Structure formats: C-alpha cells, structure tokens
Amino acid sequence: SAVISQKPSRDICQRGTSLTIQCQVDSQVTMMFWYRQQPGQSLTLIATANQGSEATYESGFVIDKFPISRPNLTFSTLTVSNMSPEDSSIYLCSVEERGSDTQYFGPGTRLTVL
Amino acid sequence: GENVEQHPSTLSVQEGDSAVIKCTYSDSASNYFPWYKQELGKRPQLIIDIRSNVGEKKDQRIAVTLNKTAKHFSLHITETQPEDSAVYFCAAITTDSWGKLQFGAGTQVVVTP
C-alpha cells in the first residue's frame, strides 16, 4: 500500500490564526481526501482534494474555512483558517490507489486551538 | 446519502472469546464495505473489506459477513487477544459516491486477560 506522511504531526495554535497541514504520498494516487476526527468520535469527510481543480466539500464544510490544494497526484494541503477551540481535532488525509476502492490513512495531525 | 449505524458502541470480552460488531447501511447501491481498526493515538488501519458480490470473507481470526437483503454487515473476531483492544469502524461506499466513505460511529473493544 501507499506510504503516506503528514506534517505537522501535532500543533498547538492560538485562536484566530491559520494552520496548513501537508499530506505526501509516495506514489501517484487517483483520489485524496481530508477527514476530521473530533475527540472520541468517528471520522467525518471534509472534502475530496481534486488534482488541478477546486476541492469538493461536504455539507457543513466551506472553502473559506478549509481551503485545500492539490497541485499534483502525490501532494495535498489542508488549511484550517481563523481557528477557534472548536477546531481542535485530528485531521487525517486518506488516499485511494488507482483501480481500487481501498483507502489508506495518513498518520494524522493533532490540532489543539487555545 | 448513505447512513451507517454501528453497534455496540462498547464491547468487553474475555481473552479467547469471540467479538461481533454489527453495522447497517441505508443505501442499497452501496457495494464496498471496509473495516478499520484504530489503536489509541494511531491512524485507522484497514483490517478487512468485503464487496457486494461476496457474502463472507475471512482472514485468519477475522471474518466479515454481508447480508445485502437486510443491508447489514458484521465483523467477527475469534480467539480475541489483548492486542485486539482498539476502536473498530465500519464504513460503506457506493459506486457513484466518488470514493466517499461513510463511517459508522465506532465500537470500543476491550479484551481483558
């Protein structure tokens, strides 16, 4: 399976600031996704990162709050903008390899907003 | 859209016993059902999956069954070991959902020695 890395692994941020999370895959993948996992909860899809075009956001998530880039088939970023304590969560990227429904997750970024 | 319900939310078993987690889904077009295991502080790891053209799949101590008519699928862990302790998530996906996984709420499994 693809090897996925995320940076940073964790961060503590002040209210009102922004944080950009990077997701890097060691092979070209068709689909990349961003999820949020709030403490003790399940995974919620934020958006699908589309290569070369705007991301597709799920209900409840907007581009102004969570801008996403995907400049190529192996890299994507998620920015959490104008953060509040409610944004404290684990943010995970996942990838779906070519010709497969199987998704693999990155190690996650643990974000704490004070 | 797809809705996945998962039960129970917590499950305590004695080492060596079996554990069963059940999920139901709402969209009859769902055709792929993965199970993920998430240990504390770690990423979700795919442990087994099943497609809609198969009724059962087994991998060592883990098995998954699918009942398309009833729209439910289950994870079975036999001969449980302490390292099986984790949160388990079921998920479902449809062919026209462009890879979007809909997750269940998760089951905290605790295996006591």
Side-chain angles (χ1 to χ4, degrees), chain A residues 4 31 33 35 37 41-43 45 48 58 92 96 101-103 105-107 110, chain B residues 32 36 38 41-44 46 49 51 89 93 98-101 103-106:
Chain A
I4 310 164
M31 308 292 284
F33 305 91
Y35 287 83
Q37 187 174 30
Q41 302 296 312
S42 186
L43 294 93
L45 181 64
T48 304
E58 296 302 300
L92 301 114
E96 183 180 290
D101 293 320
T102 308
Q103 285 190 31
F105 284 86
R110 183 179 295 273
Chain B
Y32 175 66
Y36 290 86
Q38 188 175 32
K42 301 288 184 61
R43 75 184 81 188
L46 179 72
D49 56 12
R51 300 182 189 279
F89 293 100
I93 194 172
W98 296 98
K100 300 178 193 177
L101 283 171
F103 282 87

Side-chain angles (χ1 to χ4, degrees), chain B residues 1 3 21 36 44 50-51 59 74 85-88 93-94 96 99 109:
Chain B
N3 182 50
I21 304 170
Y36 290 86
I50 193 167
R51 300 182 189 279
D59 183 4
S74 300
S85 296
V87 179
Y88 292 80
I93 194 172
T94 58
D96 59 354
V109 174

Side-chain angles (χ1 to χ4, degrees), chain B residues 35 46-50 56-65 74-79 84:
Chain B
W35 286 88
L46 179 72
I47 57 171
I48 197 167
D49 56 12
I50 193 167
E56 183 174 358
K57 184 177 178 180
K58 191 173 181 180
D59 183 4
Q60 298 183 336
R61 296 186 298 106
I62 293 173
V64 57
T65 59
S74 300
L75 178 72
H76 304 253
I77 307 173
T78 58
E79 301 173 24
D84 294 328

